[in-house]
Amino acid sequence: MSLDLQERQKTATIDTERLCLRPLRAEDAEAITGVLSDFSVTRMLSRPPYPFTLDDAEDWLEANADSSDRAWSFAITQPADRVLIGLVSIELRQGGYHLGYWLNRYYWGRGFMSEAASALVARFFAEKGAVTLNSGAMAENAGSLKVQQRLGFQVTGLREIYAASRGAMVQEVTTALTPDYFRPYHFG
């Protein structure tokens, strides 16, 4: 491996106190399928279908690899094994940047998503500067809204969106964050 490639891979990862955020790989398809096959995870997301299949994961990874925003999609892993336990990403959608994330149910309630999202948002703002970062969560998803609140996101509204996993419209609380209001999260 060339030194240039090693350096790019090193800067592509983000290490936190307890996590390593790394670029997605084709071999993550099985882990993604495993997590998104759990309806308790998928029901809180608007875009993935349910049931979620290996073909869905492979198609999504292929589309993500072709995206110009792939630098902002990370597998959430623990340093010991680097196996995907969740995903955090920022993508350009509808003319603005949007933070999205999900986590294996086994890891809920431990601050992992706050830690991962904080690390990605910090890198994003360091590179992009004074931009607005949008996000949101289904109105019933108190855990996800708490992650956003911890980081300084402000509620901007309420809207109906289609949730493919449920095949129905749901209420989404929309949020936004600028660098001035960002509060980095530190575990412990």
Side-chain angles (χ1 to χ4, degrees):
M1 183 181 304
S2 73
L3 187 57
D4 185 45
L5 180 57
Q6 285 178 329
E7 188 58 32
R8 280 193 312 234
Q9 286 179 338
K10 182 179 178 186
T11 59
T13 63
I14 303 172
D15 293 314
T16 71
E17 216 173 308
R18 302 176 296 160
L19 302 171
C20 176
L21 309 182
R22 63 159 174 78
L24 294 165
R25 306 184 293 228
E27 54 268 22
D28 289 328
E30 286 188 30
I32 291 169
T33 303
V35 176
L36 295 183
S37 292
D38 181 346
F39 189 64
S40 62
V41 175
T42 309
R43 70 185 290 274
M44 294 299 181
L45 304 172
S46 62
R47 296 188 289 174
Y50 187 84
F52 192 85
T53 67
L54 183 59
D55 286 341
D56 292 326
E58 290 169 344
D59 290 347
W60 183 82
L61 283 166
E62 186 176 316
N64 187 66
D66 293 337
S67 169
S68 62
D69 290 325
R70 67 182 171 272
W72 300 108
S73 291
F74 289 87
I76 302 169
T77 70
Q78 293 182 300
D81 59 17
R82 303 267 174 129
V83 173
L84 180 144
I85 63 169
L87 179 122
V88 61
S89 68
I90 296 174
E91 62 182 328
L92 193 53
R93 260 188 0 203
Q94 301 171 345
Y97 288 101
H98 185 90
L99 172 70
Y101 47 83
W102 48 261
L103 191 64
N104 182 316
R105 179 172 32 146
Y106 175 77
Y107 297 93
W108 291 358
R110 302 182 197 184
F112 285 127
M113 188 50 71
S114 295
E115 189 173 332
S118 178
L120 181 57
V121 169
R123 179 174 282 184
F124 177 78
F125 281 146
E127 185 170 314
K128 296 289 186 183
V131 297
T132 298
L133 181 58
N134 300 294
S135 195
M138 292 183 186
E140 66 196 83
N141 191 346
S144 191
L145 291 167
K146 186 175 180 181
V147 167
Q148 293 171 37
Q149 180 185 25
R150 279 182 181 149
L151 301 182
F153 279 85
Q154 304 295 306
V155 172
T156 58
L158 184 65
R159 66 181 182 170
E160 283 204 349
I161 60 169
Y162 181 75
S165 63
R166 299 181 192 193
M169 299 299 287
V170 297
Q171 291 287 312
E172 179 190 45
V173 176
T174 59
T175 62
L177 177 67
T178 59
D180 291 341
Y181 288 95
F182 175 49
R183 294 188 308 259
Y185 175 81
H186 299 286
F187 176 74

